């Protein structure tokens, strides 16, 4: 199988490059192909002529997206459409990474793949509109929604917490937002499985279990053996430019249909901490 990965330099992209074996992989960073450049995207896809394209590239800084909506939509919506059109041109399948931010967070039970989109932020809207457009261009594409991504090789929540905990006696972390932390290594393995199983449609792909950011931070500090106190606070006390879903737990039912199961987030966190030390 021939695979082209857009976003190979990101957290997920790096994990994909490490985990994917036995297939012919072409890795592309933003320097190799800017998603906004339709001609360049088409050229690199025509050159590789892949069986699968994994689109892991995105503008993921949620607060920056709120301040720069034109850039957010250009990268997160229009860019993926360029990739989908190139995929259609060469007959390639497409797996697009999307987000829990396509939901409003008003549910109190896990979101299913078919639940209505109602994004509350610019980032969420850019991802939601990309999903709709991609399904129009490539009805058989696979949209893999994930959440709370963490891993080595870049900025992520555990890395931020560990750096702060190393120099501060106490940390305040929001306790009224709930989701599913997802380890880049486990997500990469699941994506490889989805491609191998010729997946299509919307699939929710996260580690098992859920928590608040406070609970996540507490486990990070505990797992690292640090004595830093972690204190729960409300989202109002830690106001950010972009609204976050209060509840964005994703149901695994769509993933389990492909016989893919992911470890718990606590198990994933311990492996992340070990990987970080190596």
């Amino acid at each position: 199988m021939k695979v082209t990965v857009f976003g190979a330099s990101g957290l997920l992209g790096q994990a994909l490059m490490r985990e994917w074996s036995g297939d012919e992989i072409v890795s592309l960073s933003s320097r190799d192909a800017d998603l906004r450049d339709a001609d360049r995207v088409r050229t690199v896809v025509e050159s590789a002529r892949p069986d699968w394209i994994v689109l892991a590239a995105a503008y993921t800084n949620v607060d920056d997206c709120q301040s720069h909506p034109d850039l957010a939509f250009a990268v997160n919506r229009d860019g993926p459409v360029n990739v989908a059109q190139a995929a259609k041109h060469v007959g390639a399948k497409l797996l697009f990474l999307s987000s829990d931010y396509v939901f409003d967070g008003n549910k109190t039970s896990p979101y299913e793949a078919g639940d209505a989109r109602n994004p509350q932020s610019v980032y969420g809207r850019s991802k939601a509109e990309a999903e709709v457009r991609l399904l129009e261009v490539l009805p058989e594409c696979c949209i893999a929604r994930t959440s709370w991504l963490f891993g080595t090789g870049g900025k992520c929540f555990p890395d931020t917490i560990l750096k702060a905990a190393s120099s501060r006696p106490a940390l305040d972390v929001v306790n009224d937002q709930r989701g599913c932390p997802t380890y880049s290594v486990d997500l990469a393995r699941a994506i490889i499985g989805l491609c191998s199983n010729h997946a299509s449609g919307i699939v929710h792909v996260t580690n098992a279990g859920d928590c608040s950011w406070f609970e996540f931070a507490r486990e990070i500090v505990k797992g690292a053996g640090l004595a830093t106190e972690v204190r729960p606070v409300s989202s109002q006390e830690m106001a950010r430019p972009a609204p976050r879903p209060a509840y964005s737990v994703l149901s695994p039912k769509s993933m389990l249909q492909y016989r893919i199961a992911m470890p718990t987030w606590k198990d994933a966190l311990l492996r992340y901490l070990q990987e970080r030390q190596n």
Side-chain angles (χ1 to χ4, degrees):
M1 186 163 67
K2 298 171 69 175
V3 182
T4 294
V5 176
F6 284 86
S9 61
L11 279 186
L12 176 57
Q14 292 177 60
L16 283 166
M17 292 302 101
R18 292 194 301 269
E19 296 295 322
W20 214 316
S21 61
D23 292 311
E24 183 182 331
I25 312 295
V26 173
S27 62
L28 301 170
S29 70
S30 58
R31 292 185 299 275
D32 301 313
D34 187 323
L35 299 184
R36 296 169 294 177
D37 186 340
D39 290 339
R40 177 60 181 163
V41 167
R42 185 162 175 150
T43 296
V44 296
V45 170
E46 283 182 337
S47 175
R49 302 200 78 83
D51 301 299
W52 272 97
I53 296 172
V54 176
L55 179 45
Y59 181 18
T60 57
N61 188 312
V62 177
D63 290 325
D64 279 0
C65 284
Q66 202 72 12
S67 304
H68 303 92
D70 290 346
L71 180 59
F73 282 102
V75 175
N76 292 342
R77 178 195 63 197
D78 303 341
V81 170
N82 292 336
V83 176
Q85 290 171 338
K88 185 175 183 179
H89 176 67
V90 301
K93 296 183 176 71
L94 173 65
L95 186 145
F96 170 67
L97 267 297
S98 192
S99 168
D100 57 324
Y101 278 62
V102 302
F103 298 120
D104 56 21
N106 290 334
K107 279 189 77 174
T108 54
S109 60
Y111 280 93
E112 302 294 343
D115 283 344
R117 305 174 187 90
N118 189 25
Q120 300 298 297
S121 64
V122 168
Y123 173 74
R125 291 204 304 275
S126 70
K127 284 292 193 177
E129 291 185 21
E131 289 186 4
V132 173
R133 296 281 297 277
L134 292 187
L135 289 168
E136 291 171 352
V137 177
L138 279 179
E140 295 302 309
C141 74
C142 179
I143 293 170
R145 291 183 185 137
T146 193
S147 63
W148 295 25
L149 182 67
F150 68 95
T152 59
K155 186 179 178 182
C156 64
F157 182 75
D159 183 63
T160 300
I161 290 295
L162 289 169
K163 286 177 179 175
S166 67
S167 61
R168 291 158 59 181
L171 300 174
D172 293 335
V173 183
V174 296
N175 196 35
D176 54 6
Q177 296 171 21
R178 198 160 197 88
C180 306
T182 305
Y183 183 29
S184 59
V185 173
D186 293 335
L187 179 57
R189 291 170 181 169
I191 287 168
I192 293 165
L194 289 170
C195 292
S196 299
N197 284 310
H198 306 289
S200 64
I202 299 172
V203 186
H204 288 173
V205 191
T206 69
N207 279 107
D210 60 82
C211 61
S212 70
W213 289 113
F214 161 73
E215 291 165 339
F216 192 16
R218 189 173 57 185
E219 286 295 318
I220 293 164
V221 169
K222 176 184 172 183
L226 299 173
T228 307
E229 180 187 5
V230 182
R231 302 178 299 212
V233 296
S234 70
S235 296
Q236 286 185 331
E237 293 175 84
M238 303 284 283
R240 303 286 292 276
R244 268 75 170 165
Y247 181 93
S248 61
V249 177
L250 302 181
S251 166
K253 289 180 184 176
S254 53
M255 178 175 63
L256 295 174
Q257 290 178 349
Y258 291 99
R259 298 183 180 179
I260 296 172
M262 290 172 67
T264 66
W265 68 267
K266 287 186 178 181
D267 174 88
L269 175 61
L270 291 177
R271 285 181 286 121
Y272 162 79
L273 292 171
Q274 290 170 353
E275 181 187 356
R276 197 173 184 270
Q277 288 180 332
N278 294 337

